[in-house]
Amino acid sequence: MVIGDPVEHSLGPKMYNLVYEKMGVDTHYVYIACKVKEESLEDAVRGIGALGIQGVSVTIPHKKNVMKYLDKIDDLAKKIGAVNTIVNDQGLLKGYNTDWLGVIKPIEKIVRLKNKKVAVLGAGGAARAAVFGFSHKGAKVRIYNRTLKKAKDLAKEFNCDYASLEMISDIKNMDIIFNATSVGLHPNDNQTPLPKKFITNKHIVFDAVYVPYETKLLQEAKEKEARTIHGIEMLLYQGIEQFKLYTGHDAPEDLMRKILLEHVK
Ligand code: ATR
């Protein structure tokens, strides 16, 4: 189940139900989306235990608030300050965070993160998981954000660097660029958070935006012969980790990617 508000566009039900069906995972697995308003969050969480629901994905705006209603929170989720996955372990509700793995895993397939210079664009929820993940893996992170105060606060929390967008030309010397802003998200397909002139063929450019599948940022990065990672990979890898937590089985990566691509391309 996924809880959030809104949840109408969640790809979770489509992805997990097809995977359960194709893998032949026990038929008692079924995944649904439930719109839960902020004032009903506590009741909704109590319902997980009462109904014996095995696992719940948590999305905007509940990732932080849900923590106070859980029995146990994983140490890394505590450090991030957000839970996106609840597992019902024989009545005990445990909170985890797999969002940061969605950022880290696709990059680690290409390079080791230790000592790499990483630029994170944005300082909201997606940036938080990314900044934690990169720092946790020993990368050197600099946060760039339109509202400098938010960059400063996030940088302080995770002990990293920050700069205003006016300093963005520094990005040329970075190894990895991660876009955690919503710039370029449909219907603003023609926008990009980073002028093309600052991208080089040495960069790895990863965009958290996955609608459209190929954002303007990624198109321009390809034109500059940078290596690119699509937002869908973040969705996929956080889901792969969730699947393991929910079912105890390894997730079928290729099948999950295929299903996600069919829905966003
Ligand atoms: P999420 O939880 O998905 O990360 P969010 O918390 O609303 O969403 O964060 C959105 C991020 O995109 C913020 O860093 C925001 O910058 P501000 O902190 O200055 O608001 C950034 N963002 C959104 N629209 C932007 C724009 N037009 N130009 C630059 N940054 C933008």
Side-chain angles (χ1 to χ4, degrees):
M1 172 188 288
V2 54
I3 57 171
D5 185 14
V7 284
E8 289 80 358
H9 304 293
S10 171
L11 290 174
K14 291 183 186 94
M15 181 174 77
Y16 287 112
N17 288 329
L18 263 168
V19 168
Y20 294 150
E21 193 187 311
K22 295 215 165 136
M23 269 184 92
V25 175
D26 311 1
T27 46
H28 64 260
Y29 283 113
V30 62
Y31 189 99
I32 55 172
C34 291
K35 181 170 175 162
V36 173
K37 292 200 176 353
E38 292 204 62
E39 60 270 24
S40 307
L41 183 60
E42 182 172 5
D43 288 342
V45 175
R46 301 258 172 273
I48 298 169
L51 295 168
I53 294 163
Q54 177 68 32
V56 173
S57 312
V58 183
T59 187
I60 287 164
H62 303 316
K63 289 185 185 187
K64 195 173 160 59
N65 287 341
V66 79
M67 295 172 80
K68 58 177 177 277
Y69 305 124
L70 302 178
D71 299 309
K72 212 169 165 223
I73 296 180
D74 167 71
D75 284 346
L76 297 183
K78 250 186 232 164
K79 279 189 191 157
I80 299 169
V83 157
N84 78 323
T85 309
I86 303 172
V87 175
N88 181 354
D89 184 5
Q90 298 178 343
L92 203 72
L93 300 185
K94 296 185 180 169
Y96 299 86
N97 188 306
T98 67
D99 285 333
W100 71 281
L101 289 162
V103 179
I104 298 312
K105 294 260 173 179
I107 300 179
E108 280 189 328
K109 282 171 89 175
I110 309 177
V111 286
R112 253 174 69 98
L113 275 162
K114 193 156 175 57
N115 293 327
K116 290 286 184 304
K117 286 182 270 182
V118 182
V120 173
L121 310 180
R128 164 174 287 272
V131 169
F132 165 79
F134 291 130
S135 304
H136 187 65
K137 291 288 175 180
K140 295 175 185 146
V141 181
R142 178 175 293 169
I143 305 165
Y144 296 89
N145 195 46
R146 177 178 60 180
T147 310
L148 193 59
K149 169 85 169 67
K150 279 168 72 182
K152 186 179 176 184
D153 291 347
L154 191 60
K156 200 172 163 201
E157 220 180 305
F158 293 104
N159 199 19
C160 62
D161 197 7
Y162 70 98
S164 78
L165 285 177
E166 279 131 49
M167 306 296 286
I168 200 84
S169 62
D170 295 356
I171 218 165
K172 281 187 175 159
N173 306 317
M174 302 272 178
D175 302 302
I176 297 161
I177 299 168
F178 181 77
N179 175 38
T181 75
S182 46
V183 181
L185 177 66
H186 185 72
N188 300 313
D189 301 35
N190 63 347
Q191 294 179 2
T192 174
L194 181 67
K196 186 178 175 183
K197 63 182 176 192
F198 297 130
I199 305 174
T200 78
N201 62 0
K202 304 241 167 28
H203 284 138
I204 296 175
V205 182
F206 187 172
D207 198 340
V209 174
Y210 63 88
V211 183
Y213 172 69
E214 191 144 295
T215 57
K216 185 171 181 187
L217 172 66
L218 292 182
Q219 277 167 27
E220 294 187 341
K222 273 190 180 164
E223 284 159 21
K224 286 293 195 100
E225 296 178 351
R227 278 180 290 185
T228 55
I229 305 176
H230 292 90
I232 199 84
E233 296 295 311
M234 180 173 166
L235 210 60
L236 174 68
Y237 279 92
Q238 72 78 25
I240 284 175
E241 298 302 321
Q242 268 185 337
F243 187 92
K244 272 190 227 161
L245 288 167
Y246 293 152
T247 67
H249 295 273
D250 276 338
E253 180 176 329
D254 292 343
L255 174 61
M256 281 169 75
R257 181 178 287 106
K258 187 166 164 267
I259 295 168
L260 286 176
L261 284 174
E262 274 166 14
H263 286 94
V264 299
K265 262 190 168 174

